[in-house]
DNA sequence: CAAGCGTGGCT
DNA sequence: TAGCCAAGCTT
């Protein structure tokens, strides 16, 4: 059993034929058609969604399921319909509105981004990949996603869904490598339709296929529009070989402790006394370490009077 | 570059 | 049930 397309090295297959003739239309046409019929009706995909709404959704969706993002996104956009509206508030309000989405540093960075957009970009979300990438909390994926979804530009939008789809469809393996490779980026770029609006459509369609059909655990291959072209399916859907892919325990970690401390501050109307934080975690050493880290991260503000609050 | 960073639903 | 997993980023 040889993996035909493992590469990772120097031998990179460069398409010798014109872009419009290469693999891409083979995969893109059926997936685009599938998307037209099966796309979820998400508010940040609505025709009247703003670039700011798209940006907010992308940050919230980092490592977080759509179902949990929806209500928070709705409330967020109602309260802060523009970057300037959010920028005018203390960062602690962003952290509070973030609720239980998790990874609350995202809220802080989104607030920082709102201020940067207001100050450096006249209040308009920038459209260039480079300008987006320069904003805090925005990496390669999110910059490409916003440029593509909000501004209909042509970018390889390579998230966990797309990486998995391409791993199966083209490479014939169940899961992509643990960390993104150059080869994956080149593959994704080679599949991009030439026309920017179509490329943008393809980007969201490939993601949606990964989210709804080509899922990590139990793929619904019977519903797949490119099953007949899928290398993984053709190979008999071989199981992932190699070391287990993850393993993040949560109970008892600093993360859980941080979460409990921050929850107290989110749910409080104003500053709280130290004992109110102490009761949420019995191990004092770990608790103090977590609190110090929260302060260092800017998520908690230690007041002069000894109380604690969400940041300004 | 591997590790750290929340939370909850699903199997 | 206890992992596995979810539109990643930063250091």
């Amino acid at each position: 059993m040889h993996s035909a397309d493992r590469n990772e090295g120097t031998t990179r297959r460069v398409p010798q034929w014109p872009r419009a003739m290469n693999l891409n239309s083979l995969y893109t046409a059926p997936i685009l058609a599938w998307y037209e019929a099966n796309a979820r009706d998400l508010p940040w995909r609505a025709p009247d969604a703003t670039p700011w709404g798209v940006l907010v959704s992308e940050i919230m969706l980092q490592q977080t399921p759509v179902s949990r993002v929806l209500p928070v996104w709705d409330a967020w956009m109602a309260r802060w319909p523009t970057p300037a509206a959010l920028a005018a508030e203390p960062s602690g309000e962003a952290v509070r509105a973030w609720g239980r989405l998790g990874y609350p540093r995202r809220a802080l960075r989104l607030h920082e981004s709102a201020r940067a957009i207001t100050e450096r970009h006249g209040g308009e979300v920038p459209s260039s990949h480079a300008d987006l990438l320069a904003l805090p909390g925005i990496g390669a994926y999110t910059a490409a996603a916003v440029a593509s979804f909000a501004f209909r530009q042509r970018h390889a939008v390579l998230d966990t869904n797309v990486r998995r789809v391409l791993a199966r469809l083209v490479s014939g393996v169940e899961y992509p490598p643990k960390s993104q490779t150059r080869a994956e980026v080149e593959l994704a770029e080679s599949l991009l339709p030439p026309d920017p609006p179509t490329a943008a459509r393809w980007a969201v369609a490939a993601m949606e296929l990964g989210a709804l059909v080509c899922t990590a655990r139990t793929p619904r291959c019977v519903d797949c529009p490119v099953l007949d072209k899928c290398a993984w399916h053709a190979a008999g859907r071989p199981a992932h070989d190699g070391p287990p892919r993850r393993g993040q325990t949560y109970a008892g970690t600093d993360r859980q402790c941080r979460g409990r401390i921050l929850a107290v501050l989110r749910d409080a109307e104003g500053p709280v006394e130290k004992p109110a934080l102490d009761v949420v975690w019995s191990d004092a050493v770990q608790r103090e370490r977590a609190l110090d880290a929260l302060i260092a991260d800017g998520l908690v503000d230690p007041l002069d009077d000894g109380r604690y609050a969400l940041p300004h």
Side-chain angles (χ1 to χ4, degrees), chain A residues 201-285:
Chain A
R201 199 73 173 166
W202 155 251
V204 70
M207 282 180 62
E208 191 77 336
L209 186 68
L212 299 184
V213 173
C214 195
T215 54
R217 220 97 55 98
T218 312
R220 308 183 40 161
C221 296
V222 292
D223 295 327
C224 183
V226 284
L227 182 59
D228 59 332
K229 303 170 186 66
C230 179
W232 185 53
H233 185 263
R237 292 173 54 167
H240 171 75
D241 63 348
R245 307 190 311 138
R246 271 191 199 180
Q248 59 170 220
T249 54
Y250 182 60
T253 60
D254 285 13
R255 271 152 112 157
Q256 185 182 31
C257 183
R258 288 166 56 109
R260 293 227 186 129
I261 291 171
L262 204 58
V264 172
L265 295 173
R266 270 200 318 263
D267 298 341
E269 304 241 344
V272 305
E273 307 284 346
K274 184 71 177 343
L277 301 181
D278 291 341
V279 297
V280 302
W281 201 261
S282 56
D283 182 336
V285 172

Side-chain angles (χ1 to χ4, degrees), chain A residues 20 40 73 85 116-117 139 193 221 223 284:
Chain A
R40 288 170 292 180
W73 185 90
I117 290 165
C221 296
D223 295 327

